[in-house]
Amino acid sequence: MSFGFQVTSRDGGARRGVMTTPHGAVETPAFMPVGTQGAVKGVTQRDLEALGAEILLSNTYHLYLRPGDGLIARQGGLHRFAGWPRPILTDSGGYQVFSLASRRTIDEQGARFQSHLDGSAHLLTPEKAADIQAQLGSDVAMVLDECLALPAEAGAARTSMERTLRWAARARTRFLEIRAGTASGVIVTNPGQAQFGIVQGGVYPDLREESAEQTVKVGFEGYAIGGLSVGEPADVMYDIVARTAPRLPEDRPRYLMGVGTPSDIVEAVARGIDLFDCVLPTRNARNGQLFTSAGRINIRNARYAEDNGPPDPACECYTCRTFSRAYLRHLIHAGEINAATLNTLHNLHFYLDTLRRIRESVSFGRFESFRVAFHQGLSGQPHDS
Amino acid sequence: MSFGFQVTSRDGGARRGVMTTPHGAVETPAFMPVGTQGAVKGVTQRDLEALGAEILLSNTYHLYLRPGDGLIARQGGLHRFAGWPRPILTDSGGYQVFSLASRRTIDEQGARFQSHLDGSAHLLTPEKAADIQAQLGSDVAMVLDECLALPAEAGAARTSMERTLRWAARARTRFLEIRAGTASGVIVTNPGQAQFGIVQGGVYPDLREESAEQTVKVGFEGYAIGGLSVGEPADVMYDIVARTAPRLPEDRPRYLMGVGTPSDIVEAVARGIDLFDCVLPTRNARNGQLFTSAGRINIRNARYAEDNGPPDPACECYTCRTFSRAYLRHLIHAGEINAATLNTLHNLHFYLDTLRRIRESVSFGRFESFRVAFHQGLSGQPHDS
């Protein structure tokens, strides 16, 4: 199967579709669980399949440093290495260079940094990010973008956005060389890989519009909106998404990177977004925070010590069908690994089920009533945390 | 279903049987995965059912301290609390008092100690251990025994063995009061609970024989051999088992506590043992040690960095069917929770499958040839660790 995307129904600004990849189809809008190092923390690949996950995100920065994209390529690529036969999207590594690496310096060539693991020196260029992802063999590769330091004045945001555009063109050139088989030294483990461009421009609508237009001119199989959900108010994010999405091609998938809360996802779908990824359901699960249809609860809370009800009475996941709040509280206080597993199973089920309900509501022209009911449910009870 | 035990076939000293409990039947010889705090570290209850585990062991000491046997009783007992509907055996807490607690002192009344969690002071008596286990509602409760400090002279071993006998009588008296409903203040969550006595006596065959005879005189639903696999040579352990097992009733299950390696289990079955528990498959999994049909390997080893074969080519578990040694090595070096899960799934499969093969070989009168082939397989390749 080669890469493609088709919108199958629309409801207001929301759309439902199917993204096809060399490793199978993904129904959109879709949420991608984050498997940073080739594994989603706390749950196995068969758990993910049982939950209905159709696509995972994996982090290029981490896999490049350990175990190395060369090793993964020699093992046949990331799908085979990680035992995950379905679609995978990899980021470019840029965000982690900005958030994890030390002594990073950025210039026109790329990002120089030291590994957070062993201090070794590395240079990540747009071409190198494409090469690494070609070796990983993800179904969707992302271009290297510059992550703007916040808060950013309009001038700095423009400078950064323009560099991201130049990097996008370089990344596309390299990607096409890889696809043509003329990139020497690169083990291409997934010849059908697609590449997405990334719109930047901070919180400035005019910069976002210009970035969108110019990124589309470079030409990619899909487009992401980056640099949001980084501390700005939710309504600012929604506004940027609302202004940017319409400037992206109707017939290509739109991916809002690193977003977000369940509410953020519903609101972004309303504004035309098709793909999401976020560490919230998995990371927060490990800290005891559970997403429920009535809001978030923190299972560490003393009020749950003798609560024999399920985490979310409206939920049909394995955790909610089998275990009580009292037991889950015990596990996390006792430091049991299983706390991470059972909480993660629940939170991922909540996210993936929310996306299933979104898709269904779009199909039946009921997205707006779903959206209202969803937000009302979340506000039905005070949050623990 | 009430507690019972029936031997269904014999082959030399080995025997196959069925132990029935209020929560279902257990085919013996059986291995009990250890779920110290009401959870087997790294694997979920549904994973355990899929692996074919029929009975779990849980630790009274840990559950008494956290979340407390009172809380678990109010939640309906340990089966309901932990979402495990099948049989559970609980130890008495004595071993953990000796190995984990601080400032412990033993006298005729019982064991005084301070919690390893918060330093709080506690007194565990034979009666109290019975009460706690009645509140947990396990299917098999163990009597409180005195754990001998090693090495022990014959005199000290005798003194300790005799105290364990007096404690066994007190534990039985209390158990019968609980069963009769005359133990006030105890929430009995499993009226069909059975109680096992424990044979002690160190490495002294005459003490073991005397302990066995006197423990049988007290009268229990089953009998354990305690105080082995604590540092003595394997042949000493095998010899004590060989001398002790025949002094225990033919029609009651025999449980060798805390044992052991796969070889130990095969050798103990040959000497008439029916039940085993051990932390080796689960604890060692978390450290990267995998039990295979050709011996143990440590998946952290550099030699596996690019090894695309399964951990054990002869194994049919999920881990071996899905993942390579290279991937499992990556996961443990990357500190991923999934390393614990996947390694534990494999090791428990290896143990449970070994017991399945033992039972089958006994049924078909081929235990001796199984035993020879099993040991030959293990010695086929040098161990990593």
Side-chain angles (χ1 to χ4, degrees):
Chain A
M1 208 184 296
S2 61
F3 187 86
F5 179 69
Q6 194 172 8
V7 174
T8 55
S9 45
R10 292 170 195 280
D11 187 8
R15 52 199 220 161
R16 179 174 182 167
V18 179
M19 182 172 81
T20 55
T21 82
H23 291 87
V26 177
E27 295 219 55
T28 63
F31 177 77
M32 302 182 279
V34 177
T36 294
Q37 303 188 106
V40 177
K41 294 183 198 308
V43 294
T44 66
Q45 281 71 332
R46 74 175 168 186
D47 290 334
L48 291 164
E49 295 207 60
L51 286 167
E54 294 190 320
I55 178 169
L56 299 185
L57 178 142
S58 219
N59 291 118
T60 289
Y61 171 86
H62 289 85
L63 294 173
Y64 160 69
L65 291 178
R66 182 177 58 195
D69 50 301
L71 186 151
I72 290 175
R74 290 188 295 275
Q75 293 288 317
L78 185 56
H79 294 84
R80 186 172 298 183
F81 181 64
W84 176 256
R86 297 168 182 274
I88 298 174
L89 179 147
T90 45
D91 63 8
S92 69
Y95 185 81
Q96 277 72 33
V97 167
F98 288 86
S99 60
L100 288 179
S102 57
R103 293 176 183 255
R104 61 178 191 279
T105 58
I106 314 297
D107 59 27
E108 190 61 20
Q109 192 182 0
R112 275 165 233 280
F113 64 95
Q114 290 188 355
S115 161
H116 72 292
L117 297 176
D118 62 6
S120 56
H122 300 269
L123 168 62
L124 187 67
T125 63
E127 293 81 6
K128 178 77 177 169
D131 290 355
I132 297 168
Q133 293 176 85
Q135 298 214 127
L136 297 176
S138 53
D139 297 284
V140 177
M142 302 301 300
V143 298
L144 183 67
D145 56 340
E146 184 175 332
C147 299
L148 191 58
L150 290 178
E153 297 299 316
R158 167 166 291 281
T159 302
S160 175
M161 181 272 280
E162 289 177 348
R163 173 171 284 163
T164 289
L165 280 175
R166 293 190 297 275
W167 283 7
R170 286 167 53 190
R172 189 63 182 178
T173 299
R174 183 61 176 178
F175 174 81
L176 295 175
E177 288 170 7
I178 292 166
R179 181 178 278 180
T182 59
S184 68
V186 179
I187 305 172
V188 178
T189 57
N190 182 2
Q193 187 180 57
Q195 187 186 44
F196 283 15
I198 304 177
V199 174
Q200 287 286 358
V203 294
Y204 304 98
D206 56 325
L207 295 182
R208 289 280 174 179
E209 288 175 12
E210 187 176 335
S211 175
E213 277 162 24
Q214 296 301 317
T215 304
V216 171
K217 272 195 189 157
V218 176
F220 295 94
E221 285 77 29
Y223 297 90
I225 302 176
L228 290 179
S229 199
V230 290
E232 78 284 359
D235 59 350
V236 170
M237 173 172 81
Y238 299 160
D239 187 54
I240 293 290
V241 171
R243 288 162 177 264
T244 307
R247 310 211 165 232
L248 299 173
E250 281 287 325
D251 62 347
R252 301 289 160 99
R254 300 166 183 159
Y255 164 29
L256 182 57
M257 301 181 80
V259 172
T261 67
S263 292
D264 288 343
I265 289 174
V266 171
E267 288 310 299
V269 166
R271 291 161 176 82
I273 300 297
D274 308 301
L275 290 168
F276 301 90
D277 79 284
C278 193
V279 296
L280 272 184
T282 42
R283 179 178 294 165
N284 291 17
R286 299 196 298 282
N287 296 326
Q289 189 183 73
L290 300 177
F291 290 87
T292 83
S293 52
R296 303 187 204 182
I297 67 172
N298 196 304
I299 204 66
R300 288 181 172 276
N301 200 308
R303 82 177 70 165
Y304 303 123
E306 306 222 9
D307 185 336
N308 63 9
D312 183 353
C315 180
E316 295 185 345
C317 80
Y318 170 65
T319 300
C320 288
R321 280 187 289 105
T322 315
F323 304 102
S324 64
R325 292 175 172 185
Y327 180 67
L328 295 178
R329 178 176 186 273
H330 162 63
L331 288 185
I332 201 161
H333 279 282
E336 286 286 329
I337 297 176
N338 300 30
T341 297
L342 296 178
N343 294 347
T344 301
L345 285 174
H346 168 76
N347 277 355
L348 283 180
H349 176 90
F350 184 80
Y351 266 69
L352 294 166
D353 192 55
T354 297
L355 273 292
R356 269 190 293 270
R357 290 158 66 211
I358 287 172
R359 291 193 297 270
E360 191 167 311
S361 73
V362 173
S363 289
F364 290 97
R366 296 192 198 123
F367 177 71
E368 202 48 43
S369 57
F370 165 83
R371 179 184 179 184
V372 170
F374 188 81
H375 292 310
Q376 280 177 343
L378 290 184
S379 60
Q381 121 181 351
H383 294 186
D384 280 347
S385 54
Chain B
M1 207 184 294
S2 61
F3 187 87
F5 179 69
Q6 195 172 7
V7 174
T8 55
S9 46
R10 292 169 196 280
D11 187 7
R15 53 199 221 162
R16 179 173 183 168
V18 180
M19 182 173 81
T20 54
T21 82
H23 291 86
V26 177
E27 294 220 56
T28 64
F31 177 77
M32 303 183 279
V34 178
T36 294
Q37 304 187 107
V40 177
K41 294 182 200 308
V43 294
T44 65
Q45 281 71 332
R46 74 176 168 185
D47 290 334
L48 291 164
E49 295 207 58
L51 286 167
E54 294 190 320
I55 178 169
L56 300 185
L57 178 142
S58 219
N59 290 119
T60 289
Y61 171 86
H62 289 85
L63 293 173
Y64 160 69
L65 291 178
R66 182 177 58 197
D69 50 300
L71 185 151
I72 290 175
R74 290 188 296 276
Q75 293 288 318
L78 185 56
H79 294 84
R80 186 172 298 184
F81 181 64
W84 176 257
R86 295 168 183 274
I88 298 174
L89 179 147
T90 45
D91 63 8
S92 69
Y95 186 80
Q96 277 72 33
V97 167
F98 288 85
S99 60
L100 288 179
S102 57
R103 293 176 183 254
R104 62 179 191 278
T105 59
I106 315 297
D107 59 26
E108 189 61 20
Q109 193 183 0
R112 274 165 234 279
F113 65 95
Q114 290 187 355
S115 162
H116 72 293
L117 296 176
D118 62 7
S120 55
H122 300 268
L123 169 62
L124 186 66
T125 64
E127 293 81 7
K128 178 79 178 170
D131 290 355
I132 297 168
Q133 292 176 86
Q135 297 214 129
L136 296 177
S138 53
D139 297 285
V140 177
M142 302 301 300
V143 298
L144 183 66
D145 57 341
E146 183 176 332
C147 298
L148 191 58
L150 290 177
E153 297 299 315
R158 167 166 289 282
T159 303
S160 175
M161 181 273 281
E162 290 177 348
R163 174 172 283 163
T164 289
L165 280 175
R166 293 190 298 274
W167 283 6
R170 285 168 53 191
R172 190 63 182 177
T173 299
R174 183 62 177 177
F175 175 81
L176 294 175
E177 287 170 8
I178 292 165
R179 180 178 276 180
T182 59
S184 66
V186 179
I187 306 172
V188 178
T189 58
N190 182 0
Q193 187 180 57
Q195 187 186 45
F196 283 16
I198 304 177
V199 175
Q200 288 285 359
V203 293
Y204 303 99
D206 56 325
L207 294 183
R208 288 280 175 179
E209 289 175 12
E210 187 176 335
S211 175
E213 278 162 24
Q214 296 301 316
T215 305
V216 171
K217 273 196 189 156
V218 177
F220 294 94
E221 285 77 27
Y223 297 90
I225 302 176
L228 290 179
S229 198
V230 289
E232 78 285 359
D235 58 350
V236 170
M237 173 172 79
Y238 298 159
D239 187 54
I240 293 289
V241 171
R243 287 163 177 264
T244 307
R247 310 216 165 228
L248 299 173
E250 280 286 323
D251 62 347
R252 301 289 160 98
R254 300 165 183 161
Y255 163 30
L256 182 56
M257 301 181 80
V259 172
T261 66
S263 293
D264 288 343
I265 289 173
V266 171
E267 288 310 298
V269 167
R271 291 160 176 82
I273 300 296
D274 308 300
L275 290 169
F276 301 90
D277 80 283
C278 193
V279 295
L280 271 184
T282 41
R283 179 177 294 165
N284 291 18
R286 300 195 299 280
N287 295 326
Q289 189 182 74
L290 300 178
F291 291 87
T292 83
S293 52
R296 305 185 204 182
I297 66 171
N298 196 304
I299 204 66
R300 288 182 173 275
N301 200 308
R303 82 177 70 165
Y304 304 123
E306 306 223 9
D307 185 336
N308 63 9
D312 183 353
C315 180
E316 295 185 344
C317 81
Y318 169 67
T319 301
C320 288
R321 282 186 289 104
T322 315
F323 304 102
S324 66
R325 292 174 173 187
Y327 181 67
L328 295 178
R329 178 176 187 272
H330 162 64
L331 288 185
I332 200 161
H333 280 281
E336 286 287 329
I337 297 177
N338 300 30
T341 296
L342 296 178
N343 294 347
T344 301
L345 285 174
H346 168 76
N347 277 355
L348 283 179
H349 176 89
F350 184 82
Y351 266 69
L352 294 166
D353 193 54
T354 297
L355 272 292
R356 268 190 293 270
R357 290 158 65 209
I358 287 173
R359 291 194 296 271
E360 191 167 311
S361 72
V362 173
S363 289
F364 289 97
R366 295 192 199 123
F367 177 71
E368 203 47 43
S369 56
F370 165 83
R371 179 184 179 184
V372 170
F374 188 82
H375 292 309
Q376 280 178 342
L378 290 184
S379 60
Q381 126 181 346
H383 295 188
D384 280 347
S385 52

mmCIF file of all heavy atoms in Angstrom, chain A residues 126 130 133 139-144 168 170-176 179 193-197 219-223:
data_model
loop_
_atom_site.group_PDB
_atom_site.id
_atom_site.type_symbol
_atom_site.label_atom_id
_atom_site.label_comp_id
_atom_site.label_asym_id
_atom_site.label_seq_id
_atom_site.Cartn_x
_atom_site.Cartn_y
_atom_site.Cartn_z
ATOM 1 N N PRO A 126 18.751 19.291 8.514
ATOM 2 C CA PRO A 126 17.525 18.823 7.847
ATOM 3 C C PRO A 126 17.778 17.533 7.058
ATOM 4 O O PRO A 126 16.922 16.629 7.041
ATOM 5 C CB PRO A 126 17.166 19.980 6.923
ATOM 6 C CG PRO A 126 17.767 21.189 7.577
ATOM 7 C CD PRO A 126 19.034 20.704 8.224
ATOM 8 N N ALA A 130 16.339 13.616 7.854
ATOM 9 C CA ALA A 130 15.678 12.798 6.823
ATOM 10 C C ALA A 130 16.350 11.435 6.696
ATOM 11 O O ALA A 130 15.678 10.398 6.564
ATOM 12 C CB ALA A 130 15.695 13.528 5.472
ATOM 13 N N GLN A 133 15.460 9.122 9.661
ATOM 14 C CA GLN A 133 14.089 8.615 9.558
ATOM 15 C C GLN A 133 13.949 7.608 8.413
ATOM 16 O O GLN A 133 13.154 6.675 8.487
ATOM 17 C CB GLN A 133 13.094 9.767 9.425
ATOM 18 C CG GLN A 133 13.021 10.609 10.694
ATOM 19 C CD GLN A 133 12.101 11.813 10.534
ATOM 20 O OE1 GLN A 133 10.901 11.705 10.708
ATOM 21 N NE2 GLN A 133 12.674 12.956 10.174
ATOM 22 N N ASP A 139 6.518 5.338 8.544
ATOM 23 C CA ASP A 139 5.610 5.573 7.419
ATOM 24 C C ASP A 139 5.473 7.050 7.119
ATOM 25 O O ASP A 139 5.253 7.433 5.973
ATOM 26 C CB ASP A 139 4.246 4.952 7.729
ATOM 27 C CG ASP A 139 4.373 3.460 7.887
ATOM 28 O OD1 ASP A 139 4.508 2.775 6.853
ATOM 29 O OD2 ASP A 139 4.399 2.979 9.037
ATOM 30 N N VAL A 140 5.589 7.867 8.171
ATOM 31 C CA VAL A 140 5.565 9.318 7.997
ATOM 32 C C VAL A 140 6.789 9.892 8.700
ATOM 33 O O VAL A 140 6.991 9.661 9.894
ATOM 34 C CB VAL A 140 4.288 9.950 8.597
ATOM 35 C CG1 VAL A 140 4.344 11.474 8.470
ATOM 36 C CG2 VAL A 140 3.035 9.389 7.922
ATOM 37 N N ALA A 141 7.598 10.617 7.932
ATOM 38 C CA ALA A 141 8.759 11.317 8.484
ATOM 39 C C ALA A 141 8.426 12.804 8.565
ATOM 40 O O ALA A 141 7.675 13.324 7.740
ATOM 41 C CB ALA A 141 9.979 11.104 7.587
ATOM 42 N N MET A 142 8.993 13.473 9.557
ATOM 43 C CA MET A 142 8.752 14.915 9.712
ATOM 44 C C MET A 142 10.022 15.674 9.342
ATOM 45 O O MET A 142 11.137 15.214 9.592
ATOM 46 C CB MET A 142 8.366 15.249 11.164
ATOM 47 C CG MET A 142 7.135 14.525 11.693
ATOM 48 S SD MET A 142 5.600 14.828 10.751
ATOM 49 C CE MET A 142 5.452 16.609 10.939
ATOM 50 N N VAL A 143 9.836 16.875 8.771
ATOM 51 C CA VAL A 143 10.995 17.717 8.479
ATOM 52 C C VAL A 143 11.550 18.289 9.778
ATOM 53 O O VAL A 143 10.826 18.442 10.766
ATOM 54 C CB VAL A 143 10.624 18.894 7.545
ATOM 55 C CG1 VAL A 143 10.120 18.368 6.219
ATOM 56 C CG2 VAL A 143 9.604 19.816 8.207
ATOM 57 N N LEU A 144 12.845 18.623 9.758
ATOM 58 C CA LEU A 144 13.441 19.301 10.909
ATOM 59 C C LEU A 144 12.974 20.756 10.905
ATOM 60 O O LEU A 144 13.107 21.452 9.897
ATOM 61 C CB LEU A 144 14.972 19.246 10.818
ATOM 62 C CG LEU A 144 15.731 19.868 12.000
ATOM 63 C CD1 LEU A 144 15.498 19.062 13.266
ATOM 64 C CD2 LEU A 144 17.230 19.957 11.693
ATOM 65 N N ALA A 168 12.921 23.253 5.452
ATOM 66 C CA ALA A 168 11.903 22.373 4.849
ATOM 67 C C ALA A 168 12.276 22.045 3.399
ATOM 68 O O ALA A 168 12.160 20.891 2.958
ATOM 69 C CB ALA A 168 10.530 23.035 4.915
ATOM 70 N N ARG A 170 15.289 22.058 2.109
ATOM 71 C CA ARG A 170 16.444 21.152 2.124
ATOM 72 C C ARG A 170 16.007 19.723 2.487
ATOM 73 O O ARG A 170 16.488 18.739 1.904
ATOM 74 C CB ARG A 170 17.500 21.650 3.119
ATOM 75 C CG ARG A 170 18.280 22.868 2.625
ATOM 76 C CD ARG A 170 19.082 23.519 3.736
ATOM 77 N NE ARG A 170 19.952 22.579 4.443
ATOM 78 C CZ ARG A 170 20.610 22.860 5.574
ATOM 79 N NH1 ARG A 170 20.489 24.075 6.131
ATOM 80 N NH2 ARG A 170 21.377 21.967 6.148
ATOM 81 N N ALA A 171 15.110 19.630 3.475
ATOM 82 C CA ALA A 171 14.639 18.314 3.903
ATOM 83 C C ALA A 171 13.919 17.601 2.762
ATOM 84 O O ALA A 171 14.082 16.393 2.549
ATOM 85 C CB ALA A 171 13.700 18.451 5.105
ATOM 86 N N ARG A 172 13.133 18.385 1.991
ATOM 87 C CA ARG A 172 12.390 17.773 0.883
ATOM 88 C C ARG A 172 13.343 17.300 -0.209
ATOM 89 O O ARG A 172 13.161 16.213 -0.776
ATOM 90 C CB ARG A 172 11.373 18.761 0.318
ATOM 91 C CG ARG A 172 10.412 18.138 -0.688
ATOM 92 C CD ARG A 172 9.562 17.073 -0.015
ATOM 93 N NE ARG A 172 8.649 16.396 -0.944
ATOM 94 C CZ ARG A 172 7.847 15.398 -0.579
ATOM 95 N NH1 ARG A 172 7.837 14.951 0.679
ATOM 96 N NH2 ARG A 172 7.048 14.824 -1.447
ATOM 97 N N THR A 173 14.345 18.111 -0.489
ATOM 98 C CA THR A 173 15.335 17.723 -1.497
ATOM 99 C C THR A 173 16.002 16.401 -1.099
ATOM 100 O O THR A 173 16.133 15.477 -1.914
ATOM 101 C CB THR A 173 16.398 18.836 -1.652
ATOM 102 O OG1 THR A 173 15.742 20.024 -2.081
ATOM 103 C CG2 THR A 173 17.464 18.437 -2.667
ATOM 104 N N ARG A 174 16.407 16.340 0.157
ATOM 105 C CA ARG A 174 17.061 15.117 0.620
ATOM 106 C C ARG A 174 16.092 13.927 0.578
ATOM 107 O O ARG A 174 16.463 12.824 0.164
ATOM 108 C CB ARG A 174 17.576 15.319 2.053
ATOM 109 C CG ARG A 174 18.348 14.122 2.598
ATOM 110 C CD ARG A 174 19.583 13.829 1.773
ATOM 111 N NE ARG A 174 20.397 12.749 2.330
ATOM 112 C CZ ARG A 174 21.490 12.269 1.791
ATOM 113 N NH1 ARG A 174 21.941 12.764 0.632
ATOM 114 N NH2 ARG A 174 22.164 11.292 2.358
ATOM 115 N N PHE A 175 14.868 14.168 1.000
ATOM 116 C CA PHE A 175 13.864 13.102 0.998
ATOM 117 C C PHE A 175 13.682 12.551 -0.419
ATOM 118 O O PHE A 175 13.602 11.332 -0.629
ATOM 119 C CB PHE A 175 12.535 13.656 1.531
ATOM 120 C CG PHE A 175 11.386 12.689 1.448
ATOM 121 C CD1 PHE A 175 11.216 11.697 2.413
ATOM 122 C CD2 PHE A 175 10.469 12.754 0.400
ATOM 123 C CE1 PHE A 175 10.158 10.801 2.336
ATOM 124 C CE2 PHE A 175 9.414 11.865 0.315
ATOM 125 C CZ PHE A 175 9.252 10.874 1.287
ATOM 126 N N LEU A 176 13.656 13.449 -1.417
ATOM 127 C CA LEU A 176 13.454 12.997 -2.802
ATOM 128 C C LEU A 176 14.685 12.235 -3.305
ATOM 129 O O LEU A 176 14.544 11.292 -4.094
ATOM 130 C CB LEU A 176 13.111 14.184 -3.701
ATOM 131 C CG LEU A 176 11.757 14.848 -3.361
ATOM 132 C CD1 LEU A 176 11.535 16.100 -4.225
ATOM 133 C CD2 LEU A 176 10.592 13.861 -3.533
ATOM 134 N N ARG A 179 14.288 8.834 -1.797
ATOM 135 C CA ARG A 179 13.244 8.104 -2.523
ATOM 136 C C ARG A 179 13.760 7.628 -3.883
ATOM 137 O O ARG A 179 13.421 6.528 -4.330
ATOM 138 C CB ARG A 179 12.015 8.998 -2.705
ATOM 139 C CG ARG A 179 10.884 8.313 -3.425
ATOM 140 C CD ARG A 179 9.655 9.213 -3.544
ATOM 141 N NE ARG A 179 8.845 9.201 -2.338
ATOM 142 C CZ ARG A 179 7.723 9.901 -2.183
ATOM 143 N NH1 ARG A 179 7.296 10.695 -3.160
ATOM 144 N NH2 ARG A 179 7.018 9.821 -1.071
ATOM 145 N N GLN A 193 7.857 5.537 2.416
ATOM 146 C CA GLN A 193 7.733 6.582 3.447
ATOM 147 C C GLN A 193 7.217 7.899 2.858
ATOM 148 O O GLN A 193 7.577 8.266 1.746
ATOM 149 C CB GLN A 193 9.118 6.817 4.067
ATOM 150 C CG GLN A 193 9.124 7.742 5.270
ATOM 151 C CD GLN A 193 10.531 7.918 5.835
ATOM 152 O OE1 GLN A 193 11.451 8.331 5.118
ATOM 153 N NE2 GLN A 193 10.714 7.570 7.093
ATOM 154 N N ALA A 194 6.374 8.591 3.615
ATOM 155 C CA ALA A 194 5.911 9.935 3.260
ATOM 156 C C ALA A 194 6.612 10.950 4.151
ATOM 157 O O ALA A 194 7.201 10.589 5.177
ATOM 158 C CB ALA A 194 4.405 10.043 3.455
ATOM 159 N N GLN A 195 6.573 12.210 3.745
ATOM 160 C CA GLN A 195 7.207 13.278 4.530
ATOM 161 C C GLN A 195 6.231 14.430 4.714
ATOM 162 O O GLN A 195 5.574 14.850 3.760
ATOM 163 C CB GLN A 195 8.468 13.767 3.802
ATOM 164 C CG GLN A 195 9.304 14.752 4.618
ATOM 165 C CD GLN A 195 10.469 15.313 3.800
ATOM 166 O OE1 GLN A 195 10.296 15.686 2.636
ATOM 167 N NE2 GLN A 195 11.645 15.372 4.407
ATOM 168 N N PHE A 196 6.126 14.896 5.960
ATOM 169 C CA PHE A 196 5.230 16.015 6.267
ATOM 170 C C PHE A 196 6.058 17.271 6.531
ATOM 171 O O PHE A 196 7.094 17.222 7.202
ATOM 172 C CB PHE A 196 4.407 15.743 7.535
ATOM 173 C CG PHE A 196 3.246 14.786 7.351
ATOM 174 C CD1 PHE A 196 3.127 13.967 6.237
ATOM 175 C CD2 PHE A 196 2.270 14.718 8.344
ATOM 176 C CE1 PHE A 196 2.053 13.090 6.102
ATOM 177 C CE2 PHE A 196 1.196 13.834 8.215
ATOM 178 C CZ PHE A 196 1.082 13.029 7.100
ATOM 179 N N GLY A 197 5.568 18.412 6.017
ATOM 180 C CA GLY A 197 6.134 19.705 6.374
ATOM 181 C C GLY A 197 5.499 20.232 7.652
ATOM 182 O O GLY A 197 4.473 19.720 8.107
ATOM 183 N N GLY A 219 5.836 21.469 -0.934
ATOM 184 C CA GLY A 219 5.090 20.275 -1.362
ATOM 185 C C GLY A 219 5.424 19.034 -0.549
ATOM 186 O O GLY A 219 6.519 18.486 -0.648
ATOM 187 N N PHE A 220 4.475 18.615 0.278
ATOM 188 C CA PHE A 220 4.640 17.417 1.100
ATOM 189 C C PHE A 220 3.390 16.541 1.024
ATOM 190 O O PHE A 220 2.349 16.990 0.555
ATOM 191 C CB PHE A 220 4.899 17.818 2.564
ATOM 192 C CG PHE A 220 6.194 18.548 2.768
ATOM 193 C CD1 PHE A 220 6.237 19.944 2.762
ATOM 194 C CD2 PHE A 220 7.380 17.848 2.945
ATOM 195 C CE1 PHE A 220 7.439 20.624 2.935
ATOM 196 C CE2 PHE A 220 8.585 18.521 3.127
ATOM 197 C CZ PHE A 220 8.614 19.908 3.118
ATOM 198 N N GLU A 221 3.527 15.305 1.517
ATOM 199 C CA GLU A 221 2.366 14.404 1.529
ATOM 200 C C GLU A 221 1.362 14.775 2.611
ATOM 201 O O GLU A 221 0.220 14.306 2.600
ATOM 202 C CB GLU A 221 2.819 12.954 1.733
ATOM 203 C CG GLU A 221 3.444 12.318 0.495
ATOM 204 C CD GLU A 221 4.867 12.783 0.239
ATOM 205 O OE1 GLU A 221 5.562 13.128 1.212
ATOM 206 O OE2 GLU A 221 5.279 12.819 -0.947
ATOM 207 N N GLY A 222 1.801 15.580 3.579
ATOM 208 C CA GLY A 222 0.912 16.029 4.643
ATOM 209 C C GLY A 222 1.545 17.211 5.342
ATOM 210 O O GLY A 222 2.722 17.530 5.097
ATOM 211 N N TYR A 223 0.781 17.859 6.227
ATOM 212 C CA TYR A 223 1.256 19.092 6.848
ATOM 213 C C TYR A 223 0.947 19.097 8.336
ATOM 214 O O TYR A 223 -0.147 18.703 8.750
ATOM 215 C CB TYR A 223 0.611 20.307 6.177
ATOM 216 C CG TYR A 223 1.024 20.384 4.735
ATOM 217 C CD1 TYR A 223 0.267 19.747 3.740
ATOM 218 C CD2 TYR A 223 2.197 21.039 4.359
ATOM 219 C CE1 TYR A 223 0.664 19.765 2.411
ATOM 220 C CE2 TYR A 223 2.604 21.059 3.026
ATOM 221 C CZ TYR A 223 1.839 20.420 2.059
ATOM 222 O OH TYR A 223 2.246 20.431 0.756
#
